[in-house]
Amino acid sequence: ADTEEARRREEQVTFKEQHKAVVDVWRNRNKGNIRGLLGSLHTVMWEGSDWQPVSVGDVLEKPQIRKVWMRANLLVHPDKVRQRNGSAEQVAIADMIFDALKDAWNAYLATGK
């Protein structure tokens, strides 16, 4: 079981390295902007993720932002991706997206923008 876990972790690192540049561009383009991240989330999601792109009008007010953010979190939380039998690659991408959304949400709560 330990070797299986070690192999899985190694695989995660490899996939993160492969996708880091794309996720970083997305994250940096929308630095700390939860609306921007949610509005462009479809550009970094894996094929078949079932994420429906949202428009600016979907994330104007705090309750809307929270609702879309919660929906995104359910989709990209690494444990949820594993529960849905997501591939190691999907889990790696989801983990990076999850962190970016979490940071942006916390910044939004702290500043209100």
Side-chain angles (χ1 to χ4, degrees):
D2 286 346
T3 54
E4 175 66 23
E5 179 64 22
R7 186 194 59 73
R8 194 175 63 76
R9 283 212 182 103
E10 202 171 293
E11 208 174 34
Q12 290 283 299
V13 169
T14 301
F15 283 126
K16 280 187 177 180
E17 286 169 0
Q18 287 175 9
H19 293 279
K20 186 177 182 347
V22 171
V23 174
D24 281 352
V25 166
W26 166 75
R27 181 184 205 149
N28 293 332
R29 187 181 304 133
N30 299 287
K31 199 80 176 151
N33 178 348
I34 190 70
R35 290 177 180 96
L37 289 172
L38 292 171
S40 59
L41 183 58
H42 61 282
T43 65
V44 289
M45 293 296 287
W46 56 92
E47 199 173 315
S49 70
D50 289 339
W51 177 254
Q52 298 301 314
V54 295
S55 71
V56 175
D58 294 327
V59 287
L60 289 177
E61 303 296 326
K62 187 173 182 178
Q64 293 173 300
I65 295 168
R66 186 176 188 282
K67 184 177 165 188
V68 174
W69 176 76
M70 293 290 287
R71 198 172 75 221
N73 269 332
L74 285 173
L75 204 57
V76 300
H77 192 290
D79 292 339
K80 298 284 185 198
V81 176
R82 277 189 207 97
Q83 287 169 7
R84 291 189 301 271
N85 296 316
S87 69
E89 184 173 20
Q90 290 169 347
V91 173
I93 295 167
D95 193 31
M96 292 185 290
I97 293 171
F98 179 77
D99 285 346
L101 290 175
K102 182 178 61 181
D103 292 347
W105 176 250
N106 290 333
Y108 173 72
L109 291 179
T111 64
K113 51 183 160 169

XYZ file of all heavy atoms in Angstrom, residues 36-94:
464
model
N -12.900 36.960 -11.863
C -12.119 36.623 -13.055
C -11.768 35.142 -13.110
O -11.839 34.515 -14.167
N -11.396 34.586 -11.965
C -11.057 33.162 -11.926
C -12.273 32.300 -12.255
O -12.184 31.375 -13.066
C -10.505 32.778 -10.545
C -9.114 33.305 -10.215
C -8.769 33.013 -8.767
C -8.063 32.713 -11.131
N -13.404 32.623 -11.641
C -14.614 31.831 -11.894
C -15.088 31.999 -13.338
O -15.517 31.040 -13.967
C -15.726 32.222 -10.918
C -15.473 31.842 -9.454
C -16.519 32.480 -8.552
C -15.435 30.332 -9.279
N -14.983 33.225 -13.850
C -15.434 33.496 -15.209
C -14.590 32.836 -16.280
O -15.044 32.630 -17.406
N -13.354 32.503 -15.940
C -12.467 31.869 -16.931
C -12.070 30.449 -16.519
O -11.173 29.853 -17.127
C -11.203 32.728 -17.115
O -10.527 32.869 -15.880
N -12.751 29.907 -15.532
C -12.425 28.568 -15.030
C -12.455 27.508 -16.134
O -11.630 26.601 -16.167
C -13.390 28.195 -13.897
C -13.161 26.868 -13.189
C -11.765 26.803 -12.590
C -14.207 26.664 -12.102
N -13.390 27.656 -17.053
C -13.514 26.678 -18.150
C -12.233 26.550 -18.981
O -12.025 25.539 -19.635
C -14.704 27.023 -19.056
C -14.580 28.346 -19.714
N -14.835 29.537 -19.053
C -14.201 28.683 -20.972
C -14.621 30.541 -19.885
N -14.246 30.058 -21.054
N -11.366 27.560 -18.924
C -10.144 27.519 -19.730
C -9.075 26.605 -19.129
O -8.119 26.262 -19.821
C -9.543 28.930 -19.928
O -9.117 29.445 -18.662
C -10.560 29.870 -20.569
N -9.233 26.235 -17.852
C -8.233 25.368 -17.215
C -8.803 24.028 -16.762
O -8.056 23.177 -16.285
C -7.539 26.068 -16.017
C -6.616 27.168 -16.500
C -8.530 26.589 -15.002
N -10.100 23.849 -16.917
C -10.705 22.584 -16.510
C -10.385 21.491 -17.524
O -10.169 21.771 -18.700
C -12.228 22.736 -16.390
C -12.653 23.650 -15.256
S -12.206 23.027 -13.622
C -13.396 21.708 -13.452
N -10.371 20.265 -17.063
C -10.099 19.134 -17.945
C -11.346 18.813 -18.768
O -12.457 19.148 -18.396
C -9.660 17.910 -17.143
C -10.642 17.502 -16.071
C -11.655 16.593 -16.197
C -10.713 18.023 -14.740
N -12.351 16.505 -15.021
C -11.796 17.368 -14.103
C -9.975 18.953 -14.013
C -12.162 17.621 -12.791
C -10.341 19.207 -12.704
C -11.413 18.547 -12.107
N -11.101 18.180 -19.891
C -12.192 17.801 -20.789
C -13.139 16.843 -20.056
O -12.699 15.937 -19.351
C -11.613 17.114 -22.024
C -12.564 17.083 -23.193
C -11.914 16.558 -24.453
O -10.780 16.985 -24.743
O -12.556 15.743 -25.130
N -14.437 17.082 -20.212
C -15.422 16.225 -19.567
C -15.663 16.547 -18.102
O -16.253 15.755 -17.375
N -15.210 17.712 -17.656
C -15.359 18.076 -16.236
C -16.790 18.445 -15.876
O -17.145 18.498 -14.710
C -14.448 19.261 -15.896
O -14.938 20.442 -16.526
N -17.608 18.747 -16.871
C -18.999 19.173 -16.667
C -19.124 20.598 -16.125
O -20.195 21.004 -15.699
C -19.775 18.216 -15.744
C -20.055 16.884 -16.408
O -20.019 16.835 -17.658
O -20.298 15.899 -15.698
N -18.028 21.358 -16.132
C -18.117 22.754 -15.689
C -18.752 23.575 -16.807
O -18.314 23.519 -17.955
C -16.739 23.327 -15.357
C -16.829 24.772 -14.984
C -16.453 25.833 -15.747
C -17.336 25.323 -13.772
N -16.698 27.007 -15.084
C -17.251 26.728 -13.866
C -17.873 24.767 -12.607
C -17.662 27.570 -12.847
C -18.287 25.619 -11.594
C -18.175 27.001 -11.715
N -19.784 24.328 -16.444
C -20.444 25.206 -17.407
C -19.876 26.616 -17.229
O -19.915 27.146 -16.110
C -21.956 25.232 -17.162
C -22.619 23.871 -17.338
C -22.424 23.290 -18.724
O -22.586 23.982 -19.720
N -22.056 22.024 -18.791
N -19.349 27.223 -18.291
C -18.804 28.584 -18.160
C -19.850 29.539 -17.590
O -21.042 29.394 -17.858
C -18.455 28.966 -19.597
C -18.271 27.668 -20.309
C -19.232 26.706 -19.653
N -19.371 30.483 -16.776
C -20.260 31.493 -16.203
C -19.923 32.852 -16.801
O -18.789 33.108 -17.186
C -20.162 31.552 -14.661
C -20.651 30.256 -14.043
C -18.747 31.853 -14.199
N -20.925 33.709 -16.873
C -20.708 35.047 -17.417
C -20.457 36.024 -16.268
O -20.678 35.697 -15.104
C -21.931 35.491 -18.205
O -23.000 35.758 -17.313
N -20.027 37.209 -16.626
C -19.801 38.264 -15.628
C -21.085 38.503 -14.831
O -21.051 38.714 -13.621
C -19.331 39.568 -16.323
C -19.212 40.694 -15.324
C -18.010 39.339 -17.022
N -22.220 38.446 -15.522
C -23.502 38.664 -14.863
C -23.842 37.622 -13.809
O -24.661 37.867 -12.925
N -23.190 36.469 -13.888
C -23.428 35.397 -12.911
C -22.656 35.611 -11.613
O -22.898 34.901 -10.633
C -23.010 34.039 -13.494
C -23.865 33.608 -14.673
O -25.065 33.940 -14.696
O -23.320 32.940 -15.573
N -21.712 36.556 -11.614
C -20.855 36.730 -10.428
C -20.744 38.208 -10.016
O -19.677 38.678 -9.642
C -19.448 36.113 -10.642
C -19.514 34.595 -10.616
C -18.814 36.578 -11.939
N -21.856 38.919 -10.084
C -21.841 40.338 -9.725
C -21.927 40.548 -8.218
O -21.178 41.338 -7.655
C -22.996 41.075 -10.414
C -22.875 41.260 -11.920
C -24.119 41.930 -12.471
C -21.631 42.072 -12.259
N -22.848 39.868 -7.571
C -23.104 40.080 -6.147
C -22.513 38.948 -5.318
O -22.354 37.826 -5.798
C -24.621 40.162 -5.899
C -25.326 41.244 -6.701
C -24.865 42.646 -6.324
O -24.561 42.876 -5.139
O -24.801 43.505 -7.224
N -22.254 39.253 -4.041
C -21.624 38.264 -3.160
C -22.371 36.924 -3.116
O -21.736 35.871 -3.213
C -21.461 38.839 -1.750
C -20.660 37.928 -0.846
C -20.354 38.565 0.486
C -19.502 37.628 1.330
N -19.142 38.226 2.606
N -23.713 36.914 -2.982
C -24.394 35.607 -2.958
C -24.184 34.800 -4.247
O -24.033 33.583 -4.207
C -25.875 35.963 -2.787
C -25.878 37.333 -2.194
C -24.648 38.014 -2.740
N -24.138 35.501 -5.387
C -23.896 34.825 -6.669
C -22.472 34.265 -6.716
O -22.249 33.133 -7.143
C -24.057 35.798 -7.839
C -25.460 36.319 -8.074
C -25.438 37.394 -9.147
O -24.786 38.414 -8.994
N -26.145 37.150 -10.248
N -21.531 35.092 -6.286
C -20.123 34.675 -6.293
C -19.962 33.442 -5.414
O -19.338 32.458 -5.802
C -19.199 35.810 -5.800
C -19.253 36.991 -6.769
C -17.765 35.306 -5.635
C -18.613 38.252 -6.230
N -20.559 33.494 -4.226
C -20.445 32.375 -3.289
C -21.036 31.100 -3.890
O -20.452 30.021 -3.797
C -21.138 32.705 -1.971
C -20.937 31.647 -0.921
C -21.555 32.043 0.424
N -21.174 31.101 1.441
C -21.728 29.893 1.583
N -22.675 29.498 0.768
N -21.320 29.074 2.538
N -22.193 31.224 -4.536
C -22.862 30.061 -5.136
C -21.994 29.436 -6.229
O -21.807 28.211 -6.270
C -24.214 30.507 -5.702
C -25.053 29.391 -6.254
C -26.396 29.951 -6.711
C -27.115 28.976 -7.598
N -28.303 29.553 -8.201
N -21.443 30.273 -7.110
C -20.600 29.759 -8.202
C -19.304 29.184 -7.627
O -18.830 28.129 -8.060
C -20.312 30.862 -9.247
C -19.321 30.377 -10.298
C -21.608 31.304 -9.906
N -18.737 29.860 -6.626
C -17.507 29.388 -5.987
C -17.732 28.029 -5.341
O -16.910 27.118 -5.474
C -17.037 30.425 -4.959
C -15.842 30.021 -4.172
C -14.542 30.018 -4.601
C -15.807 29.570 -2.823
N -13.710 29.588 -3.595
C -14.472 29.314 -2.494
C -16.782 29.372 -1.855
C -14.077 28.849 -1.239
C -16.402 28.910 -0.611
C -15.059 28.656 -0.308
N -18.875 27.865 -4.653
C -19.195 26.585 -4.010
C -19.341 25.485 -5.065
O -18.851 24.372 -4.892
C -20.484 26.690 -3.191
C -20.394 27.598 -1.985
S -19.368 26.923 -0.676
C -20.431 25.636 -0.075
N -20.015 25.790 -6.167
C -20.193 24.817 -7.242
C -18.824 24.410 -7.817
O -18.562 23.234 -8.065
C -21.092 25.409 -8.324
C -21.682 24.362 -9.249
C -22.709 24.941 -10.183
N -22.046 25.709 -11.225
C -22.473 26.869 -11.697
N -23.568 27.418 -11.245
N -21.806 27.481 -12.650
N -17.960 25.407 -7.992
C -16.613 25.129 -8.508
C -15.836 24.259 -7.527
O -15.171 23.294 -7.928
C -15.864 26.437 -8.766
N -15.928 24.584 -6.242
C -15.205 23.807 -5.236
C -15.636 22.352 -5.207
O -14.807 21.456 -5.029
C -15.394 24.415 -3.835
C -14.317 25.414 -3.527
O -13.206 25.318 -4.033
N -14.638 26.376 -2.703
N -16.940 22.114 -5.348
C -17.418 20.732 -5.366
C -16.827 19.965 -6.545
O -16.569 18.768 -6.459
C -18.947 20.695 -5.449
C -19.676 21.045 -4.164
C -21.173 21.139 -4.414
C -19.389 20.019 -3.070
N -16.591 20.670 -7.617
C -16.056 20.042 -8.818
C -14.546 19.839 -8.742
O -14.032 18.838 -9.225
C -16.409 20.900 -10.037
C -16.461 20.204 -11.377
C -17.438 19.038 -11.366
C -16.860 21.187 -12.446
N -13.833 20.791 -8.141
C -12.364 20.720 -8.171
C -11.724 20.281 -6.860
O -10.505 20.173 -6.792
C -11.718 22.059 -8.626
C -12.172 22.428 -10.021
C -11.974 23.174 -7.632
N -12.514 20.016 -5.823
C -11.887 19.531 -4.591
C -11.239 18.182 -4.902
O -11.911 17.274 -5.396
C -12.925 19.389 -3.473
C -12.296 19.187 -2.136
N -11.649 18.015 -1.805
C -12.187 20.008 -1.070
C -11.172 18.124 -0.580
N -11.484 19.329 -0.108
N -9.933 18.065 -4.634
C -9.224 16.833 -5.014
C -9.890 15.552 -4.498
O -9.955 14.553 -5.220
C -7.831 17.020 -4.412
C -7.670 18.503 -4.316
C -9.038 19.058 -4.046
N -10.405 15.580 -3.269
C -11.068 14.382 -2.734
C -12.332 14.046 -3.515
O -12.638 12.876 -3.755
C -11.425 14.570 -1.252
C -10.179 14.646 -0.371
O -9.105 14.175 -0.817
O -10.281 15.170 0.748
N -13.066 15.078 -3.930
C -14.288 14.850 -4.716
C -13.938 14.269 -6.086
O -14.636 13.400 -6.597
C -15.073 16.153 -4.900
C -15.556 16.767 -3.614
C -16.742 16.021 -3.088
C -17.299 16.704 -1.852
N -18.146 15.794 -1.088
N -12.856 14.775 -6.675
C -12.425 14.264 -7.982
C -12.055 12.783 -7.848
O -12.433 11.959 -8.688
C -11.239 15.081 -8.548
C -10.739 14.489 -9.860
C -11.650 16.533 -8.754
N -11.364 12.429 -6.758
C -11.008 11.023 -6.518
C -12.264 10.173 -6.336
O -12.355 9.077 -6.870
C -10.125 10.892 -5.269
C -8.677 11.149 -5.545
C -7.801 10.791 -4.351
N -6.605 11.607 -4.413
C -6.411 12.746 -3.754
N -7.324 13.204 -2.928
N -5.306 13.429 -3.906
N -13.231 10.701 -5.571
C -14.474 9.952 -5.333
C -15.213 9.669 -6.638
O -15.906 8.669 -6.755
C -15.407 10.719 -4.391
C -14.959 10.730 -2.948
C -15.757 11.716 -2.093
O -16.740 12.304 -2.544
N -15.313 11.906 -0.862
N -15.072 10.573 -7.601
C -15.721 10.380 -8.900
C -14.820 9.587 -9.855
O -15.031 9.590 -11.061
C -16.080 11.735 -9.530
C -17.190 12.473 -8.800
C -17.667 13.697 -9.565
N -16.636 14.682 -9.831
C -16.306 15.690 -9.014
N -16.940 15.862 -7.889
N -15.351 16.531 -9.347
N -13.798 8.937 -9.280
C -12.852 8.138 -10.066
C -12.115 8.957 -11.114
O -11.862 8.488 -12.221
C -13.554 6.948 -10.734
C -14.107 5.980 -9.709
O -13.426 5.665 -8.738
N -15.326 5.539 -9.908
N -11.784 10.191 -10.749
C -10.991 11.033 -11.640
C -9.590 10.476 -11.791
O -9.085 9.800 -10.892
N -8.981 10.759 -12.914
C -7.609 10.288 -13.153
C -6.633 11.074 -12.280
O -6.961 12.134 -11.748
C -7.251 10.476 -14.625
O -7.146 11.867 -14.908
N -5.431 10.555 -12.176
C -4.387 11.244 -11.410
C -4.127 12.626 -12.010
O -3.868 13.592 -11.288
C -3.101 10.411 -11.405
N -4.224 12.710 -13.322
C -4.021 13.990 -14.004
C -5.119 14.988 -13.599
O -4.846 16.145 -13.308
C -4.020 13.781 -15.513
C -3.710 15.043 -16.294
C -3.557 14.773 -17.783
O -4.035 13.729 -18.265
O -2.949 15.607 -18.455
N -6.366 14.524 -13.569
C -7.480 15.389 -13.171
C -7.330 15.850 -11.724
O -7.579 17.012 -11.405
C -8.810 14.667 -13.369
C -9.157 14.466 -14.822
C -10.339 13.528 -15.016
O -10.766 12.845 -14.093
N -10.867 13.500 -16.227
N -6.909 14.951 -10.860
C -6.709 15.297 -9.448
C -5.617 16.367 -9.322
O -5.756 17.323 -8.557
C -6.368 14.048 -8.596
C -5.989 14.449 -7.177
C -7.543 13.078 -8.575
N -4.547 16.223 -10.086
C -3.441 17.189 -10.042
C -3.915 18.573 -10.485
O -3.628 19.584 -9.839
C -2.281 16.707 -10.916
N -4.664 18.624 -11.586
C -5.188 19.899 -12.086
C -6.160 20.487 -11.063
O -6.095 21.672 -10.721
C -5.889 19.706 -13.447
C -4.879 19.262 -14.515
C -6.593 20.986 -13.890
C -5.523 18.752 -15.802
N -7.048 19.641 -10.570
C -8.057 20.085 -9.603
C -7.404 20.677 -8.358
O -7.847 21.701 -7.837
C -8.959 18.911 -9.222
